[in-house]
Amino acid sequence: MSTEPQVIVIGAGPVGQSAALLLARWGIQVLVLDRRPARDAAGSRSICQQRDVLDVWAAVGAGKVAEEGLTWTTARTYYRDRELFSWSFEREGPLPPFVNISQARTEQILDEAIAGQPLIEVRWSHEVTGLTQDASGVTVHCGQRLLRAPYALACAGARAEPVRRALGVTFGGETFDDQFLICDIKAGLPGWENERRFFFDPVWNPGRQVLIHPCPGGTFRIDWQIAPDFIPTKDDISRKIRQIIGDRSYELIWQSTYRFHSRIASRMRVGRVLLAGDCAHLVAPFGARGLNSGVPDAENAAWKLAFVLNGWAGAELLESYHVERHAAALENLEITAATMRFLAPRTVEERMRRRAVLEGGLVAEVDSGRFAEPYWYVDSPLTTPEPSRPFRGRPPKGALCEPAPGVIMPDAALPEGRLRECCRDGFLVLLGEAADPGVFAQVLGKDTAAPLSVRGFAELDGTGALAGRLGAGPDEAWLVRPDSHIAAIIPHAEPETVAAAVRRACPGG
């Protein structure tokens, strides 16, 4: 790196990789530090990546994650020896709703993108032992080595206690007693290649759960819930696999055991240091809310750091990172805690309720993990509320949310690319057919230093159908943030009212 870094990213896992790529996309010099001597490519680990995360990765040159990943079509749920229910995903929009792909392969693809980005330098064998900061920057301590940058973004994972301690951040929560055994196997299982299977209390794992996910290349990920004191031997693992696949031949690729944690940092921003991913929050993996919340952390932090560093916004913008992403983490903790109460009941009442639900086939009350969703910044200080466009709450499973201020912009195919791709280069103002983009652009260009473009809905798709699909009125203006969330929907829009919404979404700009 020929110049000093503007941001030091601590941790070269997928959250840190994503953050570095997103910062570099804004022209920011980045130094990535990791305590490991090199990349550890073992095991599937986080396998299920949600559509909005795939969208982020596509924007930084890692679209191969979506291309190579496997999207299963049917989810089957069993209780003991009978199927309770099944449901299927329908693809809506240009990107799949999610893909299954090993974290190891995702990291390889992100590393390939980093290798082509001259603004990023990665240094291995740099364990961060402490942090100090002052009015002009952050000093990162790696033993006797001291590294300096205006800002730091900590993506160092769950074991980042030295970072949290240096910042005075607590990490309260709990650890669940039960263990989980993970195995990646390669096997021929006809009919299972596109199905996720969840078993409650099967006879071959009584009183606990088993989850089976298909992955690319004829591999399968199997998770068993096991007793807290159970140490599986090679024979135990072989027997458990045989109970599922029978006498078919298979190859055991990787295995591991772990416990679930439910923890959140007391602060996600302390001065010039932001915390993201597992460094800031840990949740049980049912619903795939770990990495799928860590990457949105990285995106939220990256555009705000870039806007401050480039002089497009004031430093006060950074506090909204904590406000927005801490709220997102709290929501994930609440949802996953409810799932764990169902999966691993701790009281007599919880056990009785779970048994009644499963034996009674009460499908709507079965909780095997609500699939990861983007957090919507309805109550953010950056969002301009609009009474005629209220947030109506989470939609039913599989349904899209009605657009409203704070909600992420729906994606759509355009004659050239996707709608979300138009939202990545700054603020975007979309106008109905009754407004003149030229007039708005002239006023807004004088009012803010931030990158901003003004487009007509009809201009984007050439037909006017896009406005109809989104429910946009002819006199409305939609302000979209650089992370694709809608900051404002303004009826009867005038340039001055849109300018006020821009100032709210980009304070100090």
Side-chain angles (χ1 to χ4, degrees), residues 54-310:
L54 300 177
D55 175 43
V56 172
W57 286 336
V60 295
K64 284 199 292 186
V65 177
E67 295 167 7
E68 294 185 14
L70 181 149
T71 303
W72 45 264
T73 56
T74 302
R76 300 190 184 278
T77 299
Y78 299 83
Y79 176 53
R80 294 182 178 168
D81 59 352
R82 64 187 175 94
E83 183 175 331
L84 283 178
F85 60 90
S86 67
W87 55 275
S88 298
F89 270 107
E90 292 186 8
R91 178 163 178 161
E92 295 184 15
L95 288 173
F98 63 88
V99 298
N100 279 5
I101 187 171
S102 75
Q103 182 175 327
R105 179 56 185 148
T106 295
E107 290 173 347
Q108 288 177 347
I109 293 170
L110 292 169
D111 275 340
E112 291 169 6
I114 287 172
Q117 178 48 263
L119 292 175
I120 302 173
E121 179 184 354
V122 181
R123 296 184 190 175
W124 301 95
S125 299
H126 276 62
E127 181 173 4
V128 174
T129 55
L131 293 168
T132 54
Q133 54 181 314
D134 53 40
S136 62
V138 181
T139 301
V140 178
H141 302 246
C142 298
Q144 298 301 310
R145 292 172 291 193
L146 303 180
L147 300 165
R148 182 83 175 167
Y151 293 96
L153 179 55
C155 310
R159 297 187 178 93
E161 187 54 35
V163 173
R164 291 188 292 264
R165 184 171 57 249
L167 297 172
V169 171
T170 60
F171 202 44
E174 61 180 325
T175 297
F176 292 90
D177 291 335
D178 275 21
Q179 295 187 93
F180 289 79
L181 167 66
I182 307 175
C183 288
D184 294 343
I185 68 168
K186 189 176 182 67
L189 301 175
W192 292 38
E193 304 96 328
N194 294 298
E195 293 187 355
R196 186 223 70 178
R197 300 189 174 205
F198 196 108
F199 295 86
F200 286 101
D201 302 350
V203 294
W204 28 272
N205 198 38
R208 291 183 167 86
Q209 283 69 245
V210 178
L211 175 63
I212 306 170
H213 267 276
C215 294
T219 62
F220 294 84
R221 156 82 167 264
I222 309 177
D223 289 49
W224 291 265
Q225 183 185 7
I226 58 177
D229 56 351
F230 181 59
I231 303 175
T233 65
K234 182 178 180 180
D235 289 342
D236 291 329
I237 292 171
S238 176
R239 183 177 67 257
K240 285 182 173 295
I241 293 172
R242 289 286 176 213
Q243 287 170 332
I244 295 173
I245 71 170
D247 60 1
R248 296 180 178 91
S249 61
Y250 73 91
E251 176 188 356
L252 177 60
I253 301 171
W254 177 72
Q255 68 184 69
S256 182
T257 57
Y258 64 99
R259 283 184 168 86
F260 291 167
H261 305 274
S262 180
R263 299 186 179 276
I264 186 169
S266 55
R267 289 282 302 174
M268 290 180 64
R269 178 225 174 184
V270 179
R272 291 175 170 269
V273 183
L274 309 183
L275 282 69
D278 286 355
C279 183
H281 44 74
L282 291 171
V283 296
F286 292 102
R289 290 174 177 266
L291 184 53
N292 284 309
S293 61
V295 172
D297 287 349
E299 183 181 33
N300 193 298
W303 79 263
K304 292 173 181 177
L305 285 168
F307 271 50
V308 172
L309 284 163
N310 285 320

Side-chain angles (χ1 to χ4, degrees), residues 6 27 48-49 93 147 187 202 205 252 255 325 343 371 431 453:
Q6 294 169 280
C48 191
Q49 318 308 343
L147 300 165
N205 198 38
L252 177 60
Q255 68 184 69
R325 295 312 301 167
L343 295 180
F371 199 61
L431 299 174
S453 61

